[in-house]
Amino acid sequence: MGNLKRLATVLCYSLLLWQLPSMANNLDEVSLLTEGYPPYNYQGENGELQGIAVELLVAAYKHSNIDFDKSTIKLQPWPRAYRSVLQGTNTMLFSMTRTLSREKLFKWAGPISKTRVVLLAKKTSHVVISTPDDLTQYIIGGIRNDIGLLLVRELVADSGQLLTSPYASSLANMLNLGRIDLWAYEENVAAHFLRREGLDPSDFEAVYTLSEAQLYYAFSINTEQNIVDGLQSILDQFRSATKSTDNP
């Protein structure tokens, strides 16, 4: 969490000082979508969108001299937002895990951060997963089109084992109440939702790692390439700046 805060702080100041190539002027024509996925993107107590992915994007818009208001970012349940960027025009969704199965469905700019997708269980349930074959005896919860559930579908043949919800908070409570045995989700994000529901993340444990990957900004496939390239250029330059900060 400390690295995420430092990354956001350095970005907000350094991007305004560095002479970076600006993105195309029509960046403001791109529809922006996100979901509640803390600490990367989420709605704070004051109702304003927050998180490292949000702050990265705000800084990029400022550098492009675009008058940008975070309220223009639409917060939607993941299944709806995913469908919109998959089928829409000039649309961008964040934060999305970049995988081989998704690679040709979108255009990508990033990475935003590393990510670890796991299967979570209550410690008191004493679940042990040694191989994917062990999953056949459990009910697994996830969000439709979320990377966690997509990865589980590759391992589990019986769809009757899977229980879906559009809301992570619902899945956190289902896991706690024993309605599901395992929750397929990003590890840091799951911990946040457990705390939000008044639960102690230390009462739960990751019993199986589904994926270690990276989060990106995902654009609809028909988005103009110069828009994607412009954002990518800024992110690349920022990584160079942070490396210089870490190694004076």
Side-chain angles (χ1 to χ4, degrees), residues 110-218:
I112 299 167
S113 176
K114 293 181 179 179
T115 179
R116 182 170 179 251
V117 183
V118 301
L119 290 174
L120 283 172
K122 289 190 74 172
K123 287 182 177 178
T124 54
S125 65
H126 305 294
V127 172
V128 177
I129 306 295
S130 300
T131 71
D133 291 339
D134 296 331
L135 297 176
T136 58
Q137 56 187 308
Y138 300 110
I139 301 298
I140 305 170
I143 295 175
R144 186 180 302 109
N145 285 327
D146 176 73
I147 185 60
L149 197 61
L150 292 176
L151 292 170
V152 168
R153 288 188 185 279
E154 295 176 0
L155 303 176
V156 175
D158 184 5
S159 60
Q161 287 183 246
L162 307 180
L163 194 156
T164 65
S165 170
Y167 303 108
S169 55
S170 297
L171 290 162
N173 284 306
M174 288 179 189
L175 183 63
N176 183 57
L177 296 173
R179 291 186 57 194
I180 56 176
D181 304 304
L182 299 168
W183 180 16
Y185 212 42
E186 207 278 342
E187 190 171 30
N188 292 326
V189 182
H192 183 98
F193 278 104
L194 288 168
R195 284 191 292 269
R196 179 181 290 183
E197 295 305 306
L199 303 171
D200 186 349
S202 66
D203 291 336
F204 303 82
E205 61 182 344
V207 295
Y208 191 80
T209 299
L210 293 168
S211 171
E212 291 184 341
Q214 298 193 86
L215 296 170
Y216 277 74
Y217 298 99

Side-chain angles (χ1 to χ4, degrees), residues 74-125:
K74 295 181 180 179
L75 184 71
Q76 297 181 349
W78 182 257
R80 186 195 310 170
Y82 187 89
R83 183 171 60 251
S84 295
V85 72
L86 187 63
Q87 301 174 354
T89 301
N90 286 338
T91 304
M92 186 254 276
L93 171 62
F94 65 96
S95 303
M96 187 185 294
T97 303
R98 188 172 183 174
T99 65
L100 285 176
S101 62
R102 289 172 168 172
E103 183 66 30
K104 295 183 179 180
L105 299 177
F106 309 100
K107 293 181 179 179
W108 305 88
I112 299 167
S113 176
K114 293 181 179 179
T115 179
R116 182 170 179 251
V117 183
V118 301
L119 290 174
L120 283 172
K122 289 190 74 172
K123 287 182 177 178
T124 54
S125 65

